Amino acid sequence: MREYLLTLCVTAAVTYLLTGPVRKFAIAAGAMPEIRARDVHREPTPRLGGIAMFFGLCAGLLVADHLTNLNQVFEKSNEPRALLSGAAVIWLIGVLDDKFEIDALIKLGAQMIAAGVMVMQGLTILWLPIPSVGTVALTQWQGTLLTVALVVITINAVNFVDGLDGLAAGMVCIAAAAFFMYAYRIWYSYGIEAAAPATLFAAILMGMCVGFLPHNMHPARIFMGDSGSMLIGLVLAAGAISITGQVDPDNLFGGSERSTVHGMVPIYIPLLMPLTIIAIPAADLILAIVRRTWRGQSPFAADRGHLHHRLLEVGHSHSRAVLIMYFWSALIAFGALAYSVNSASMWIVLGVVVLSAIGLLLLLLPRFTPRAPRWAESFVPPRYRRRKVLPESAPAPATESESGASEEDSPDGPGGVQDEEPEHRTPVVVGVSGVNGATAVGPRSRSAR
């Protein structure tokens, strides 16, 4: 465990220290697009944060290769080298896209090439442990197609949630933490060496996100861009592929395949855990494709209908919307992790149900913001006060589009109470092409994140 923690800390430190110089480089290189009316951020912000994250990945792998116990991962498996090769391909394409806006088909091809590079070096799905069936061996073509599909889906799912400051890095960090505990338990408790690469990938991924988050939290000083979002999506997919298709479930328990699979479900959760770590990004991906197709748009057309945009429309502030997304990611990932450890405990189920109810309450919090009576307004924070009604002769207050201020700049906050005579606000149209929420496959507007 200490060597994993050391690898995590080194990765985080390198990523953190390099992000500042990378920000200056991005500004000098002109990778800082102009602001459009519907962008969430209000100041031009440089991209290319993925450069620091990639070098953090390289530093983590280099340190792990020189540690006594983790060095065995490199000696017994070619998966770390496969990950580095695929990451280099996807990172280079991401850097070019952040600067020059590459065509959609080129990015899609690059994602497939990166997955193919990993498959050629041994990082692929060999079999699937399916409940009530047993371990199903896959042919070479089946494993390759499934691996490529998982990599492409995960990359774009992570990129879909990269719409608010700190959102993608934080959600992936939470998922990586849960996945690390899951993989470490398989490796340490059961002594299965095949789970060691996935454990290492999760530790390095946490370090990349932790090191980048201080620079990316609201208000962000730099964005990770496609060079970062596609990179962490690929690392996340690599860990899921390694633990799902490389670890033989028959090694966990004795007996036949059928009894083994029955015995380890849901203790092992070979299929569920990799899916839970991208549950929210995957749901956002599916909803976006359905929404855009229903409107007659391209599935890759950027719009402002993602889950985090809808939280802002409900009335949440930028920071609160990010924290709510963090909450749901942690609930799903760690809930599945707890269920895999002890599925017979009703306390785990009840805890997940209670936390889900709390999460629903948080989602509707702006609807339930209390209003203080007139006599108590001087004793409560400004967001709970009623603003005075302006006389008819007074000039109308400037709208957000006129003043350029965001909802968070208002004294009542985005979750504040409406005026007795509400101001006119420019409605936000969901599904407008060319704004925030570009996919890793589709064309990215130079002003969209």
Side-chain angles (χ1 to χ4, degrees):
M1 176 62 77
R2 287 179 298 180
E3 294 188 348
Y4 284 116
L5 292 179
L6 176 60
T7 303
L8 187 155
C9 292
V10 170
T11 304
V14 171
T15 303
Y16 176 80
L17 294 175
L18 288 181
T19 303
V22 167
R23 179 178 182 272
K24 295 180 180 179
F25 169 76
I27 295 175
M32 189 169 63
E34 298 294 334
I35 299 297
R36 291 184 59 171
R38 294 185 178 90
D39 286 340
V40 174
H41 57 285
R42 295 296 175 182
E43 296 180 359
T45 306
R47 305 191 191 281
L48 296 177
I51 296 178
M53 303 178 82
F54 177 75
F55 283 104
L57 169 67
C58 296
L61 291 175
L62 181 62
V63 169
D65 189 25
H66 288 79
L67 297 178
T68 304
N69 294 328
L70 295 185
N71 177 259
Q72 300 178 2
V73 177
F74 295 83
E75 293 179 351
K76 298 180 179 180
S77 172
N78 199 43
E79 293 182 15
R81 299 176 184 84
L83 170 66
L84 184 59
S85 302
V89 173
I90 206 69
W91 173 73
L92 287 174
I93 294 298
V95 170
L96 294 176
D97 181 65
D98 288 340
K99 181 64 176 72
F100 302 108
E101 188 179 348
I102 296 178
D103 184 73
L105 293 179
I106 296 179
K107 286 191 287 184
L108 179 61
Q111 295 169 15
M112 293 182 177
I113 291 174
V117 168
M118 294 193 299
V119 170
M120 291 176 59
Q121 300 188 56
L123 185 55
T124 182
I125 298 177
L126 301 177
W127 48 66
L128 290 177
I130 301 178
S132 303
V133 176
T135 303
V136 178
L138 301 178
T139 64
Q140 181 179 0
W141 280 107
Q142 290 174 339
T144 300
L145 291 177
L146 189 57
T147 301
V148 172
L150 182 59
V151 170
V152 172
I153 291 173
T154 306
I155 288 176
N156 286 279
V158 171
N159 188 268
F160 262 65
V161 298
D162 185 23
L164 298 178
D165 298 346
L167 181 58
M171 290 182 65
V172 171
C173 185
I174 292 171
F179 195 74
F180 173 82
M181 296 180 183
Y182 170 72
Y184 184 79
R185 177 172 176 264
I186 298 300
W187 173 74
Y188 184 78
S189 299
Y190 296 99
I192 299 178
E193 294 294 336
T199 311
L200 176 62
F201 296 165
I204 292 177
L205 182 57
M206 279 192 291
M208 295 165 61
C209 296
V210 169
F212 185 72
L213 269 175
H215 299 273
N216 190 233
M217 294 300 292
H218 184 71
R221 301 180 69 249
I222 185 173
F223 296 151
M224 67 173 65
D226 273 5
S227 58
S229 61
M230 292 199 297
L231 176 63
I232 61 177
L234 181 133
V235 177
L236 191 63
I241 291 168
S242 178
I243 201 70
T244 301
Q246 298 287 329
V247 176
D248 188 354
D250 292 340
N251 293 332
L252 293 178
F253 299 95
S256 63
E257 287 186 354
R258 185 176 296 274
S259 62
T260 298
V261 177
H262 277 291
M264 70 182 180
V265 176
I267 295 177
Y268 184 50
I269 317 183
L271 298 178
L272 180 60
M273 190 63 192
L275 294 178
T276 58
I277 60 179
I278 59 169
I280 293 182
D284 196 14
L285 172 65
I286 295 173
L287 291 175
I289 292 176
V290 172
R291 179 179 65 251
R292 295 166 183 173
T293 305
W294 184 265
R295 294 176 178 270
Q297 299 175 335
S298 168
F300 306 131
D303 63 22
R304 193 167 176 145
H306 294 286
L307 297 177
H308 47 273
H309 291 133
R310 294 186 181 275
L311 288 176
L312 296 178
E313 293 173 12
V314 168
H316 293 287
S317 66
H318 190 295
S319 300
R320 188 191 294 170
V322 171
L323 291 177
I324 289 176
M325 296 288 283
Y326 286 177
F327 174 85
W328 282 105
S329 298
L331 177 61
I332 296 174
F334 286 98
L337 176 65
Y339 190 66
S340 69
V341 175
N342 187 4
S343 60
S345 176
M346 286 300 298
W347 289 106
I348 295 177
V349 178
L350 291 177
V352 171
V353 171
V354 172
L355 290 175
S356 299
I358 295 175
L360 292 175
L361 180 62
L362 293 175
L363 290 176
L364 301 176
L365 189 60
R367 305 297 185 187
F368 303 127
T369 303
R371 295 186 179 186
R374 294 290 187 184
W375 58 269
E377 286 185 351
S378 58
F379 303 100
V380 297
R383 62 178 177 273
Y384 298 124
R385 302 173 187 171
R386 300 171 183 263
R387 286 184 289 182
K388 296 181 179 181
V389 180
L390 298 176
E392 296 182 359
S393 59
T399 62
E400 178 182 347
S401 60
E402 296 172 352
S403 62
S406 63
E407 290 179 347
E408 295 179 1
D409 297 332
S410 65
D412 291 336
V417 186
Q418 296 180 353
D419 304 343
E420 295 183 4
E421 286 188 3
E423 302 176 4
H424 170 72
R425 291 183 180 273
T426 304
V428 178
V429 181
V430 177
V432 178
S433 177
V435 295
N436 282 2
T439 69
V441 174
R444 177 185 294 276
S445 171
R446 293 306 303 270
S447 63
R449 291 193 54 192

